[in-house]
Amino acid sequence: MTEQTTLIRQSAATAADNQRKVFIKTYGCQMNVYDSERMGEALAADGYQPTDNVEDADLILLNTCHIREKAAEKVYSALGRYRDLKAARAAEGRETLIGVAGCVAQAEGEEILRRSPAVDVVIGPQTYHRLPQALVKAKAGERVVDTEYAVEDKFDYLPKKERGARPKNVSAFLTVQEGCDKFCTFCVVPYTRGAEISRSLKQILDEARRLAENGVREITLLGQNVNAWHGESEDGAEWGLGDLLFELASIEGIARLRYTTSHPRDMDDRLMQAHRELGKLMPYLHLPVQAGSDRILKAMNRKHTAEEYLALIERIREARPDIAMSGDFIVGFPGETEEDFQATLALVERVRYAQAFSFKYSPRPGTPGAELTDQVPEDEKAGRLQRLQALLTRHQLEFAQSRIGMEMDILLEKPGRNEGQMIGRSPWLQSVVVAADESEIGQMVRVKITEASANSLAATRIG
Ligand code: SAH
Ligand code: SF4
Ligand code: F3S
């Protein structure tokens, strides 16, 4: 190595050392994925570069989930590991800040500081635009908890220009609605995310246009109850999610629209019409039902019966015959008998979900369900979960196999495992492996499906 290159390398290393780095770990739902991206952007504007290597990080930020006990406990075990890492770095004279964001932060606040002495900042899902200020205080040695619901709107304070700026970001999330007023008796979301609020039409359209300008082709609208979104149009009309989808479909460059998660009680006629008429709205709908027994649905405060849910799906399928259904299930809610559970299996048989997520009921502090006395024993829950998952997996595989021989457009998203292979998405959210060049990422290509497993498809190019 010549003296000159050594010098250049040294100065590059010094510049890199001065650059603060943040490692963000995300738990939980897509909303947290979106929030992590936004926190990353806010931190980038504050001089933090992202890193995938936690040992390099000057700031470790955990964006956490409180939905089930296991999810919350994962955070504490991670914090144990990061405490040791922080100590090891301190021994080398390097400072590390640890922040806890998201739903555990909101639910447990101060308690996190007590349980985990290495944590410097606890910040809630509605206040993370104040993260840079919290870090300034933390650097000065203060331990900060900021989980008040902010009076200002975080979206007005988050940086705007970076959205979607990552190269080749083909598909992006866009939060349109947050919080929940439904109070299902098992669920912490109304407590961790607060009351149901909708972002304004203008904010959403601005963000969607920025995404499109940055090369995004597919937008997934997010909300804990996304189909409860409502807003005011430019001429003062009251709009719902259906209207919003029609408006977004007119943005140039946006080829595909999706939305998640919806509640059965908020599927209105205009949204049905969007499914019927909007080619850009993908034929895939995540519509959780949780259980098939009316008695349990009532105890869960879902406010609909199994028959009402099935009738709704019939109407959706009438509007969009090729729609694939996805769902969430909880087994072992307090008081659930074998007969109740059989009703869940029967409902699953009738719907035949293309995709589903199922969980053992986890009693959450502060929710009405946790107070009920007739909790189902753990091994009973485990047995039911296994039986339900066997059925769901069979349907998922059958759905995947029904695609074999089908021709479809897929949106190319990223390189596959092997040279010359790219991975795209089917309209039904399946990963499709196909021969393609990296330069084609972001394009829609026509393929014919040749093979199918439960989680991915293989295809050949046509046309
Ligand atoms: N807003 C969405 C769900 C959010 S939580 C809806 O209304 O459907 C995602 C899923 O986690 C839920 O659909 C439910 O199946 C599961 N879940 C929520 N609380 C749970 C608990 N206490 N125990 C087990 N699963 C739970
Ligand atoms: Fe939780 Fe029910 Fe609200 Fe969904 S609708 S977030 S399950 S309370
Ligand atoms: Fe978890 Fe909060 Fe999402 S509890 S599922 S991260 S809204």
Side-chain angles (χ1 to χ4, degrees), residues 180-184 186-190 224-225 263 290 302:
C180 181
D181 293 340
K182 298 253 181 340
F183 290 93
C184 300
F186 51 81
C187 184
V188 292
V189 170
Q224 268 92 21
N225 268 286
H263 193 287
Q290 315 297 353
R302 293 291 291 185

Side-chain angles (χ1 to χ4, degrees), residues 110-153:
E110 294 271 349
E111 175 65 16
I112 298 174
L113 297 189
R114 267 191 294 276
R115 268 185 79 174
S116 303
V119 172
D120 301 283
V121 172
V122 175
I123 197 145
Q126 302 307 342
T127 40
Y128 63 72
H129 55 295
R130 300 192 201 137
L131 192 52
Q133 291 98 300
L135 292 172
V136 170
K137 290 186 193 163
K139 271 202 160 297
E142 195 182 325
R143 299 181 84 196
V144 186
V145 178
D146 188 355
T147 55
E148 290 297 313
Y149 289 116
V151 283
E152 73 274 15
D153 179 347

Side-chain angles (χ1 to χ4, degrees), residues 361-383:
Y361 170 69
S362 169
R364 305 304 292 129
T367 61
E371 306 295 314
L372 298 172
T373 49
D374 42 359
Q375 300 288 332
V376 175
E378 200 51 38
D379 57 341
E380 191 69 49
K381 287 192 229 179

Side-chain angles (χ1 to χ4, degrees), residues 187-247:
C187 184
V188 292
V189 170
Y191 311 97
T192 60
R193 292 278 173 164
E196 208 167 278
I197 53 150
S198 294
R199 286 180 74 190
S200 73
L201 180 65
K202 184 180 178 319
Q203 268 188 354
I204 296 167
L205 293 179
D206 285 352
E207 191 167 327
R209 290 192 189 109
R210 264 197 314 276
L211 290 171
E213 279 159 19
N214 283 311
V216 166
R217 306 294 317 280
E218 174 183 86
I219 294 181
T220 302
L221 305 180
L222 297 182
Q224 268 92 21
N225 268 286
V226 70
N227 53 346
W229 181 85
H230 57 93
E232 204 177 283
S233 73
E234 272 168 11
D235 50 13
E238 178 67 13
W239 271 16
L241 189 71
D243 302 291
L244 177 62
L245 286 163
F246 275 97
E247 188 69 23

